[in-house]
Amino acid sequence: METKRLLLVDGMALLFRSFFQTAPSGRFMYNEHQIPTNAVHGLIRHLFAAAEKIKPTHITICWDMGKDTFRTEMFDSYKAHRPAPPTELIPQFELAREATEAFSLNNAGVKGFEADDCIGTISKLANGIETYILTGDRDLLQLLNGTNFVWLLQTGYGNWKTYDQQIFIEEYGIEPAQFHYVKALMGDTADGYPGVKGIGEKTALKLIQQFDTIDGVMNGLDELTPSVRKKILDGVEMLRLSEKLAAIHCDVPLNWSLDAALYTGADEKANNFISANGMTGLSRFARHTGFITQDPFTLI
């Protein structure tokens, strides 16, 4: 019996990464409707390259469904200072969904939650199936366990920094499930929550290595230096909020099943999408990786 392997893709991370990899050169590429296609082209290429290595039997791409989530309800500055997407990227959000559907890929997303939360929930629902998470976001490292693996995008196609649970422990000195405590202490400038002012990653890691959790840190305040103790006491309210913001929510009410994520291969819809969007290079790359072949349809 073939081993089941689930590939979970952070769609927005791949889309943004693909756009900015090519945007400096102005290589946007356009389809017949004059919609830029560079980010979508890169998204599919990243996915194919990962699939060639992982050889998944099941694939789901997870998406953010708008900027308003339960985190923005808790903290209105959450991700509020991120710049607006470039003009050339905006129409590619919908085109990306068209592309994944054309390639018969399962999509998931729930309003009020982020793609990270959907990935966390699905990895939990997968119930021990070998699961590979493709992303550019270190936050997802907290999902590492004996069957979950995280591949962080690096520069270029087919380049990742791969993590399993043991590699993470050796690098950080804590368990993956403790990583959000570190993020709560140090904050995240990209996501817009400050954590504890004056505490960086190095100090945050030492605190969690010593005390395990935020509760442990609070119970061990007498063991801290006066300077660190004062910083934590002065920022305790934001620390507690940051702890909630940093944790991936693994109980999203989404409609997902392993059967729905089964990848059975692309069909004529993929060929039509490639043709309509002038992505002949993508068809050659897809054939080279073996992700799709000339059967059941003829690639351009």
Side-chain angles (χ1 to χ4, degrees), residues 65-128:
M65 303 296 286
K67 63 181 181 179
D68 295 327
T69 68
F70 74 94
R71 292 183 179 87
T72 57
E73 291 179 2
M74 287 194 294
F75 184 51
D76 58 11
S77 292
Y78 182 77
K79 293 188 176 181
H81 302 296
R82 288 190 176 185
T87 302
E88 294 86 358
L89 178 58
I90 292 172
Q92 296 190 66
F93 295 147
E94 180 59 31
L95 188 63
R97 294 297 294 267
E98 292 177 17
T100 55
E101 290 172 4
F103 280 94
S104 302
L105 297 164
N106 179 246
N107 289 287
V110 177
K111 286 185 177 180
F113 298 93
E114 296 181 46
D116 287 7
D117 303 309
C118 293
I119 289 172
T121 299
I122 292 171
S123 71
K124 180 179 175 182
L125 292 172
N127 194 27

Side-chain angles (χ1 to χ4, degrees), residues 32 102 267-278 297-298 300:
E32 60 186 17
D267 57 25
E268 188 63 25
K269 290 183 296 182
N271 201 40
N272 293 339
F273 180 86
I274 289 172
S275 178
N277 289 280
F297 66 96
T298 302
I300 299 166

Side-chain angles (χ1 to χ4, degrees), residues 7 9 43-61 99-100 102-106 261 263-267 270 282-297 299:
L7 175 60
V9 180
L43 164 72
I44 299 298
R45 283 195 65 178
H46 276 303
L47 195 154
F48 286 165
E52 180 186 21
K53 301 285 187 181
I54 296 166
K55 300 190 179 346
T57 56
H58 299 72
I59 303 173
T60 294
I61 302 180
T100 55
F103 280 94
S104 302
L105 297 164
N106 179 246
Y263 187 71
T264 56
D267 57 25
L282 183 60
S283 69
R284 290 191 295 272
F285 186 81
R287 184 167 50 200
H288 171 73
T289 60
F291 190 70
I292 54 177
T293 66
Q294 292 184 351
D295 184 21
F297 66 96
L299 287 169

